[in-house]
Amino acid sequence: MAFAAVAAFGLTACGGGSGGGSSSQSAEGTLTVAFDADAAPTGYDPLLYSQGQFTFFSSMYDALWETDTDGVSQPSLATGYTNSADNLQTTITLRDDVTFTDGSSLDADLVKANLERRTDADLTAYGAFAAGGASEITDVAVTDPQTVVVTWAAPQATPENTLVDTQGTIVGPDGVADPDTLETTPDGSGPYTLDADASTRASSYTVTKNADNWDADSWSYDTIVFTVITDAQALANAVVSGQADVATILDPSTIDLVESRQKTVSVGGTIVGFPVTDKTGAINPAFGSVEVRQALIYATDRQALVDDLHPVPAPPRSCSPRAPRASTPASTPSTPTTRTRPASCWPTPATRTASRST
């Protein structure tokens, strides 16, 4: 199966045009993005999902750091950080001009409340922060309204790469206080808000630009429509005909058709991993040992997986155990950069992207 993803979600590089479609839109109009699966099957709590859904949720929510088009974590809700000498504590400074859809403002207490949800086993995005996780958080403290201190169980030399995108997404106070409300109502600070009247769960989601958003000027389109097209042929046809400006996850059988009429972009390869969620050994005590988990990974014949499933010159090492980096940056840039929505917003195991020609 071939995967597809938009190369950049800045909403300036993926607009419609005249190449093959009859319903092209200007940058100030509507962008239609076609998904091959429902982006929000269990509601609008972004922490219930993995990185693949950040494409959708990043329109309505902001994160502490977000990945740019070069794969570098850039400050978003955070303005910078400093680490302790042993890399066990990270002091994060926050923006003071951020407002959520519930009318509240971003502050350190809210960031703490978000990260305190890490004990909820249902929150997929926080798996690494929970007890036994690769980036376990042991404490979150507030030192002033715009400063929060995160204490780690193990040294984190590059915390901006941990609190990035989905894992760094911050939900508003109402959503944190009563997560059940997020099933029907998003509570984010993102550049777009959900148009509930124009949205139908599992079918299409319409978000409209929030002109008062702190970073509104970085976003080109007034409206984004995320439409769900689960049939592979129908998905390809939507791009070719102009029904959709961008499509993700192209089936191999449709790539030639799309490439004959529109543009595709290759953005990676298929990843086969062995995730372990029982890191505390609650179900199987053996999994509570990091050495056991590492042994399983080292014992995996990666070359055999490549040869049998997805032939490439060499097997990837992205799922192999990796120790924290030794060096520590003094701080990140103090001024957030313009958003050019990253490749990492899109499903990492990807090989094809389709977008209408400009």
Side-chain angles (χ1 to χ4, degrees):
M1 178 179 180
F3 292 82
V6 172
F9 195 51
L11 307 187
T12 56
C14 305
S18 59
S22 59
S23 58
S24 60
Q25 302 289 341
S26 68
E28 293 74 30
T30 298
L31 178 75
T32 300
V33 180
F35 287 160
D36 74 324
D38 188 0
T42 57
Y44 304 106
D45 185 345
L47 302 178
L48 288 172
Y49 304 95
S50 60
Q51 180 69 8
Q53 275 85 355
F54 191 61
T55 303
F56 171 70
F57 283 103
S58 62
S59 65
M60 297 179 287
Y61 290 86
D62 291 313
L64 294 171
W65 278 269
E66 295 177 3
T67 314
D68 67 16
T69 52
D70 294 320
V72 178
S73 297
Q74 300 289 355
S76 182
L77 294 181
T79 59
Y81 79 91
T82 57
N83 258 10
S84 60
D86 58 7
N87 293 334
L88 287 174
Q89 281 194 330
T90 300
T91 300
I92 303 169
T93 53
L94 305 170
R95 298 187 64 93
D96 60 4
D97 57 352
V98 178
T99 302
F100 290 80
T101 54
D102 61 18
S104 61
S105 299
L106 174 70
D107 60 21
D109 286 323
L110 178 60
V111 173
K112 174 180 170 64
N114 269 263
L115 295 177
E116 295 291 14
R117 296 179 71 199
R118 66 186 182 276
T119 57
D120 185 343
D122 291 333
L123 301 183
T124 300
Y126 276 1
F129 298 156
S135 305
E136 179 182 347
I137 295 174
T138 60
D139 184 64
V140 182
V142 173
T143 59
D144 67 49
Q146 301 307 127
T147 306
V148 63
V149 179
V150 177
T151 301
W152 312 91
Q156 299 290 323
T158 54
E160 76 276 22
N161 294 335
T162 301
L163 295 165
V164 66
D165 298 342
T166 300
Q167 292 186 159
T169 298
I170 300 299
V171 175
D174 285 357
V176 171
D178 186 3
D180 288 344
T181 63
L182 297 173
E183 183 176 351
T184 57
T185 307
D187 188 13
S189 62
Y192 293 85
T193 57
L194 181 72
D195 184 343
D197 292 337
S199 301
T200 302
R201 289 278 290 273
S203 178
S204 68
Y205 302 89
T206 298
V207 295
T208 56
K209 188 174 179 179
N210 175 14
D212 295 327
N213 175 263
W214 65 272
D215 197 31
D217 290 343
S218 297
W219 298 81
S220 300
Y221 292 91
D222 294 329
T223 304
I224 310 173
V225 177
F226 297 95
T227 184
V228 181
I229 305 176
T230 58
D231 180 79
Q233 188 62 55
L235 182 67
N237 291 342
V239 180
V240 171
S241 67
Q243 178 185 351
D245 299 299
V246 176
T248 67
I249 316 285
L250 290 179
D251 187 90
S253 64
T254 67
I255 291 175
D256 288 343
L257 168 64
V258 175
E259 288 186 329
S260 70
R261 299 288 299 278
Q262 306 295 352
K263 297 179 180 179
T264 64
V265 178
S266 178
V267 289
T270 301
I271 293 177
V272 177
F274 181 26
V276 175
T277 58
D278 185 26
K279 294 182 175 66
T280 61
I283 299 174
N284 187 327
F287 284 124
S289 168
V290 64
E291 289 81 7
V292 170
R293 300 197 300 270
Q294 289 176 332
L296 289 170
I297 295 173
Y298 285 126
T300 300
D301 188 339
R302 295 184 299 112
Q303 188 63 57
L305 289 173
V306 171
D307 293 341
D308 294 341
L309 298 177
H310 308 285
V312 293
R317 297 180 180 272
S318 60
C319 293
S320 300
R322 181 174 59 186
R325 292 172 56 185
S327 61
T328 305
S331 64
T332 57
S334 59
T335 303
T337 59
T338 298
R339 301 184 186 192
T340 52
R341 286 294 181 191
S344 68
C345 285
W346 301 83
T348 300
T351 58
R352 294 285 183 177
T353 288
S355 62
R356 293 179 56 205
S357 303
T358 55

